[in-house]
Amino acid sequence: MDVKIEPSWKQALQSEFDKPYFAQLTDFVRSEYRQYTVYPPGSLIFNAFNACPLPNVKVVLIGQDPYHEPGQAHGLCFSVNDGVPFPPSLLNIFKELNTDLGVPIPTSGNLLRWAHQGVLLLNATLTVREHQAGSHQNRGWERFTDAVISLLSQQCEGLVFILWGSYAQSKAPLIDGSRHLILRSAHPSPLSAYRGFFGNHHFTLTNDYLKKHGKEPIKW
């Protein structure tokens, strides 16, 4: 299958695109876009990959679903478009960033600035129906994104995988902890942020690890 995605990812993932499950997933997604309002816009489904080519990846931040309200999702986990109010989890991420590194709370929740430095902002499910969280789960996206995580673990060295919350932590068995740093904590949502997300110092720990491995730290 010919998928419109950044060339380094296209080459690395072509074997996934050619599998029967991906054709079935594509048929389902196309049908959903025809019948319903689905996020993100179709041209941005692979935005996380297009903004962060495979050779550039230094950090992998794993989310679950795209935001499902109008104007929010643009293909990067936890990120929203410029001018969109911060969802609660994103605001808590910025609060921890401020506490950890002293970075002022940003004026925009658009995390493309992270992606362009090598942070792959990967949702496990890449599409969602409007107002219906989880509506595109268990249709094939997770198989695809699990393959992405496994590929990164096997083909790269010295990455940082950031797993916030139990769902993201369920992906840890796909990652070789002897070759990469795995950071785990509670999720930044208001329901759990005070149970171990705040004070996790993951931004500092990430940059310390990158520097130790001769990589440029992220300007969070």
Side-chain angles (χ1 to χ4, degrees):
M1 180 177 291
D2 184 24
V3 176
K4 292 182 174 61
I5 193 171
E6 190 276 332
S8 64
W9 286 110
K10 185 177 180 68
Q11 181 177 4
L13 295 169
Q14 190 60 54
S15 62
E16 290 300 309
F17 298 144
D18 290 337
K19 290 177 180 175
Y21 87 87
F22 199 87
Q24 294 167 2
L25 170 62
T26 300
D27 289 343
F28 166 74
V29 170
R30 285 175 175 158
S31 173
E32 287 284 294
Y33 274 92
R34 282 196 301 268
Q35 297 180 70
Y36 305 101
T37 299
V38 175
Y39 301 124
S43 62
L44 297 179
I45 291 173
F46 295 109
N47 199 22
F49 300 89
N50 296 335
C52 185
L54 177 55
N56 297 0
V57 176
K58 296 188 283 191
V59 180
V60 184
L61 178 56
I62 298 175
Q64 188 165 2
D65 256 351
Y67 296 122
H68 53 268
E69 296 303 322
Q72 294 180 315
H74 65 133
L76 310 177
C77 72
F78 295 108
S79 179
V80 292
N81 283 299
D82 293 318
V84 175
F86 301 160
S89 292
L90 182 57
L91 180 58
N92 285 339
I93 290 169
F94 289 155
K95 287 178 178 176
E96 172 59 23
L97 181 56
N98 175 255
T99 303
D100 187 14
L101 292 176
V103 174
I105 302 292
T107 56
S108 171
N110 189 332
L111 302 182
L112 273 172
R113 58 185 180 274
W114 295 2
H116 292 154
Q117 298 178 72
V119 182
L120 181 66
L121 295 158
L122 181 67
N123 274 319
T125 302
L126 298 188
T127 54
V128 69
R129 201 184 289 181
E130 184 178 42
H131 308 314
Q132 296 185 40
S135 50
H136 285 187
Q137 291 177 4
N138 303 314
R139 294 288 187 163
W141 277 131
E142 296 92 339
R143 181 172 172 182
F144 171 70
T145 53
D146 281 359
V148 171
I149 296 166
S150 297
L151 173 87
L152 288 162
S153 175
Q154 294 162 16
Q155 295 195 7
C156 302
E157 293 286 345
L159 302 183
V160 181
F161 289 84
I162 300 177
L163 311 181
W164 291 334
S166 58
Y167 182 83
Q169 289 172 36
S170 74
K171 305 299 182 180
L174 301 171
I175 305 162
D176 184 347
S178 68
R179 297 171 63 179
H180 308 284
L181 176 64
I182 304 173
L183 297 176
R184 301 173 175 88
S185 81
H187 194 275
S189 87
L191 299 173
S192 56
Y194 287 95
R195 298 204 297 266
F197 175 76
F198 288 132
N200 66 20
H201 299 291
H202 281 183
F203 301 105
T204 290
L205 291 170
T206 295
N207 279 353
D208 287 349
Y209 183 86
L210 292 176
K211 285 187 281 190
K212 192 170 83 173
H213 286 77
K215 300 180 183 182
E216 191 71 22
I218 306 298
K219 293 184 177 67
W220 300 103

